[in-house]
Amino acid sequence: MIGTDGFEGGRAIRLALDRNNDYRPYQVWTVDGPGGFAGNFTSDGINAYWLDTRGHLWGAGLAQGREPEGWSAYSIDLPALIGAKAAFTNTEPAVEVRQTPAGPETHLYVTLRNYTDTGAGLRDGPTGSDGAVVALGPGGSLKWFHKFGPPDRLGGRKASMNTAPLALVGRGALLFGDVNGYFYTYALDTGNPTGGDARGALIQPGGRAPAGRLFLLKEGEVPNTGPYNFSQVSGVGVDPAFAQGLLLVGVNFERDGQPSGRLVAYRAGEAYDLRWIDKPEPLVLAQGEPVTIQPRLQLEMTTRTLGALCPGPVSVQWFLTDAGGGLVRSLGEVPLPGDLAPQQPYPVPLTVSLAKGDPAGGQIVGVIDLPSVYALSAAHTENSALAQARSLATAQGLPGEKSCAGAVAEVVEREGQPGPEGSLANNVLIVPYSSKEEEPEPHVDDPAVVQLAVPEETEADQPFQVGIYLGYQNNLGRTEIRVPLRLGARPAAGGPAPAGGWQQVTIDQVPCCTFQPGIIAGLSPGVWEIIAEIDYPGDTRPENNRAVRRVEVLRLQPGGGTGPEGGAITD
C-alpha cells in the first residue's frame, strides 16, 4: 500500500498492489478526502482502514475499493458517533478479526487525540484538548466509547491520547497512552477500565495487583510536550507492541529542562479460569425438607495450584434469592483448598430447605470468589449472571477489591458467553427452585431506553447529534419489537413536555444495544434537558422507558472553523 501522510497538506491517498513483485505497482483506487490523512493503513485482509485528521474512520475493499460490508459510506464520523462536535487524531486504528460460528467479524479500535463537544478549544494549549477512545463492532457499529476529562488529567495538562491503540486479543485488553505519561488498558468488549480482561500488562514491576493505568514517569520527570501540539514526542509517544510475553512501550519526558525518553518492557500476567462444570436441575423445595446438591467446579488454563495463584483465601458463597435475583438470605460459605490442582473436579455440596418467609419460587445461587467477580466485572454489564452476582455483592456491602492478590486474573472466551466477561460469568451458578405454592412465572415484555449519549456542551442555535441506545427483553420468544420513539428538549428550569412527533423504530433483542441516532435542532443559551422516550402500552417495566440528560448551550465567539467538508472516492 502506498500513501501520503497528508497532515494539513496533500489530501490524496493511493492504494496500489505490486502484483508481479517487480516494484511496479498497479493502481487500484485513489481517495481524495476533506482533511489530511493521519497515520498508517491497517487491514483485516479484506479491507483497508485508516483515519483522517478530523477523526473520521475510513475503509475500503482491497480488491475493488468499495466501502466495507455493513458501512453506509466510505467513512464513519467518529466525533458525531460519540456526541462530540469535532476531533483530531494522528494515529491508526487497531484491528481485531474475531472468529465466530457465523464467520469472521472485524472489530476496530480508535484513539482520538483531541475532541471537543462545542467545536471550540480543540487545539488550545501545548497538547490540545482531552482525548477519547472508540470501539466499533461488525459493520462499523458502535460497541462503546470513553471520553477522557478532568479526572484523567495531570495537573492542568489535558488528557490527550496520542498513541495508536494495541488490541491484545488473547487477553481481551486494549492498550494505549496519553501525552502525560499515563498508559491505559480497557476491556475490548465492555470498555471497562477495571477488568473483564487479564490486564496483566499493567502490573507495576515488583507489584502484585493489576491496575487500570500506569504512570510511566519517575520522580523528577515531567512529560515532554514536543515541538507541536500534534507531536508523538509527547508522553507515551511510542506505540505499544507485544511479543514473547512482553509488552514494550516508550515514554518521552523532560528532566531539568532536558528532553529524554526510555523504552520499557513489562511482563504479561498469568491467566486462569475457575468455573462451575455442572448445572443441577431445578429444585422443588419445601419447609423442613432438606435437599442436597453437589455441583463441581474446576481450575483451568494454568499449571499451578489455587494457593500458588491466589495466596489469599478463595471460597464459594451460597445465596437464596427471589425470582428476580434479589437477596433473601445467605446460605453459607465454603472455603476452597489451596492445594486445588488444575483439571481436578472439586465438589461443593449444599443442603437447603425453605425457611419461614422464603418466597415460594426463586433461585439458589453459588458464586466462586464473589469479591473478584465483583471487582473485575463491568459496572453496567449486560451479562445477566454477572449482574446478579454484582447485585449480591452490593447487598452485602463488599468493596470492589479482588480476593486473589496475585498478579493474575481470569480471561477466556466461552461458547455462549462471548467476550472476556464469559470467564467471570461461569463463576456464577444459578439453580431455580419452586414449591407447590408457586404461582406461574409472569411474562416479560420490556422495551427500554438504556442510555442517551449527549455532549456536555454545545453551541447555541446549532443542531447537534445524540445517540439513543434501546434495549428489549422478553420471555415470549420475540426477537424484536416495533414501538414509537420521541426525542425532544426542554429548559432544565422546568417547562412543558418536549414538542415533536413520534417515530416508529424497531428494537432488536440483543445483549446491548440497538443504536438510534437523533438530531436536536438549535437551542438558545442555557441548560436544557434532552429527553428520549418510547411508548408501549403493554410494557411490563414502564419505568425504564425514558432517559433524560442535560446539556449546556453556550454562545461561542466567532472563529475556530474546522475547514471545508466534502470528499470523494473514485475507482
Side-chain angles (χ1 to χ4, degrees):
M1 290 176 283
I2 299 175
T4 62
D5 180 357
F7 179 73
E8 295 185 354
R11 303 185 310 181
I13 281 187
R14 296 187 178 187
L15 176 72
L17 301 180
D18 185 1
R19 296 189 185 277
N20 300 319
N21 198 28
D22 58 2
Y23 301 98
R24 295 180 180 178
Y26 171 80
Q27 181 173 322
V28 180
W29 41 259
T30 299
V31 182
D32 182 14
F37 293 110
N40 300 325
F41 292 95
T42 51
S43 176
D44 59 3
I46 299 175
N47 305 297
Y49 303 95
W50 68 98
L51 290 153
D52 66 26
T53 56
R54 303 176 310 147
H56 287 207
L57 175 65
W58 292 73
L62 295 175
Q64 295 180 316
R66 296 194 177 98
E67 63 266 28
E69 183 177 355
W71 289 32
S72 61
Y74 284 93
S75 66
I76 297 174
D77 185 348
L78 296 182
L81 201 61
I82 67 173
K85 187 81 171 182
F88 165 76
T89 191
N90 54 351
T91 62
E92 62 272 4
V95 177
E96 174 197 4
V97 179
R98 183 174 300 182
Q99 301 301 325
T100 73
E105 291 180 350
T106 297
H107 296 242
L108 299 166
Y109 306 89
V110 177
T111 50
L112 298 178
R113 172 69 185 258
N114 313 114
Y115 78 91
T116 171
D117 286 340
T118 64
L122 184 65
R123 302 290 291 278
D124 290 349
T127 56
S129 62
D130 297 309
V133 59
V134 186
L136 302 177
S141 60
L142 179 65
K143 289 205 301 184
W144 55 266
F145 68 90
H146 179 76
K147 293 179 179 179
F148 293 86
D152 311 294
R153 297 171 183 169
L154 180 66
R157 292 167 53 93
K158 302 292 181 64
S160 175
M161 301 295 128
N162 68 323
T163 64
L166 171 66
L168 207 57
V169 176
R171 299 180 182 276
L174 186 69
L175 306 168
F176 54 93
D178 71 5
V179 299
N180 295 324
Y182 285 111
F183 191 53
Y184 293 84
T185 180
Y186 278 68
L188 291 179
D189 283 342
T190 65
N192 179 16
T194 61
D197 57 279
R199 297 180 300 124
L202 296 194
I203 299 172
Q204 287 280 14
R208 302 183 71 180
R213 71 176 184 180
L214 296 183
F215 188 51
L216 302 186
L217 302 185
K218 299 179 180 179
E219 186 176 356
E221 298 173 351
V222 297
N224 183 6
T225 59
Y228 308 101
N229 63 1
F230 55 84
S231 172
Q232 298 301 93
V233 175
S234 308
V236 186
V238 179
D239 295 341
F242 183 79
Q244 300 299 319
L246 294 177
L247 175 73
L248 303 175
V249 61
V251 57
N252 300 290
F253 58 88
E254 292 184 4
R255 179 185 287 274
D256 298 328
Q258 296 299 315
S260 186
R262 74 172 65 88
L263 183 67
V264 186
Y266 291 94
R267 290 190 186 276
E270 181 179 357
Y272 70 91
D273 191 28
L274 189 59
R275 69 184 186 101
W276 291 106
I277 58 175
D278 294 326
K279 183 173 177 59
E281 294 293 326
L283 301 176
V284 177
L285 300 180
Q287 290 192 30
E289 299 181 11
V291 175
T292 299
I293 56 174
Q294 296 193 29
R296 298 170 302 162
L297 55 79
Q298 186 165 282
L299 178 63
E300 300 175 358
M301 295 186 66
T302 182
T303 59
R304 299 202 286 167
T305 65
L306 181 60
L309 289 167
C310 302
V314 176
S315 63
V316 174
Q317 292 181 252
W318 290 102
F319 306 92
L320 187 144
T321 77
D322 58 26
L327 177 62
V328 176
R329 59 188 174 96
S330 174
L331 298 176
E333 184 172 340
V334 180
L336 298 180
D339 61 355
L340 178 63
Q343 308 302 326
Q344 299 296 317
Y346 182 81
V348 186
L350 173 72
T351 300
V352 61
S353 62
L354 290 183
K356 185 177 181 180
D358 288 342
Q363 299 170 339
I364 305 300
V365 182
V367 186
I368 308 169
D369 195 7
L370 179 58
S372 293
V373 172
Y374 188 38
L376 294 176
S377 58
H380 302 288
T381 178
E382 290 296 317
N383 188 296
S384 58
L386 287 181
Q388 186 159 347
R390 291 184 62 86
S391 174
L392 294 171
T394 303
Q396 295 184 96
L398 290 186
E401 298 175 359
K402 292 174 58 184
S403 63
C404 181
V408 290
E410 298 194 329
V411 50
V412 63
E413 187 163 333
R414 296 284 183 181
E415 184 177 358
Q417 300 280 5
E421 284 197 320
S423 64
L424 297 174
N426 64 31
N427 285 37
V428 185
L429 176 66
I430 300 175
V431 183
Y433 79 83
S434 61
S435 68
K436 297 177 182 178
E437 296 79 21
E438 180 183 359
E439 295 294 331
E441 179 185 2
H443 79 281
V444 176
D445 194 12
D446 178 29
V449 182
V450 178
Q451 187 178 358
L452 176 61
V454 303
E456 295 178 1
E457 299 175 346
T458 189
E459 184 177 352
D461 304 323
Q462 295 296 319
F464 59 93
Q465 188 173 32
V466 301
I468 309 166
Y469 298 86
L470 304 170
Y472 180 47
Q473 294 183 345
N474 74 93
N475 56 6
L476 310 176
R478 296 176 180 169
T479 59
E480 63 181 29
I481 193 170
R482 191 163 178 83
V483 297
L485 166 70
R486 180 169 67 176
L487 175 69
R490 68 181 181 191
W502 297 84
Q503 60 170 317
Q504 292 287 327
V505 298
T506 298
I507 311 175
D508 297 322
Q509 179 170 277
V510 293
C512 183
C513 302
T514 299
F515 174 75
Q516 181 74 26
I519 298 294
I520 297 294
L523 303 174
S524 59
V527 179
W528 289 76
E529 287 185 343
I530 309 302
I531 302 173
E533 55 186 338
I534 58 177
D535 183 23
Y536 183 54
D539 203 332
T540 56
R541 288 187 63 199
E543 67 271 13
N544 59 17
N545 286 6
R546 201 168 194 249
V548 181
R549 296 291 183 270
R550 289 194 172 190
V551 61
E552 185 175 3
V553 181
L554 305 175
R555 180 75 68 189
L556 301 180
Q557 298 298 323
T562 58
E565 298 293 330
I569 290 186
T570 58
D571 289 335

